[in-house]
Amino acid sequence: MRIVFDTDEQQALRADARDHALTDPGVAYVLERLASEGVNLDACTDWDDLKADLGRGPRSTGSAA
């Protein structure tokens, strides 16, 4: 499954990328890729899977958020 952005959203992402180009090129790169490619949800890691990979169990009911 992939999230794609409509034309207005793509233009807004690209405008933000231009704003960040000189000060934070990494952010600019990510914003431009989001605008052009969207987000492939199949390539994302689930939060619970990520915690398990790090060796952390589920949050106890008494722990802070």
Side-chain angles (χ1 to χ4, degrees), residues 7-30:
T7 304
D8 292 337
E9 292 169 323
Q10 289 175 357
Q11 290 175 351
L13 286 167
R14 288 188 170 110
D16 288 341
R18 284 189 298 276
D19 290 343
H20 288 284
L22 294 177
T23 57
D24 198 344
V27 170
Y29 175 78
V30 169

Side-chain angles (χ1 to χ4, degrees), residues 36-61:
S36 64
E37 299 175 16
V39 179
N40 181 0
L41 295 177
D42 294 329
C44 294
T45 301
D46 180 84
W47 178 246
D48 290 328
D49 291 341
L50 180 62
K51 288 192 312 183
D53 290 346
L54 295 173
R56 299 181 181 180
R59 185 186 306 176
S60 66
T61 57

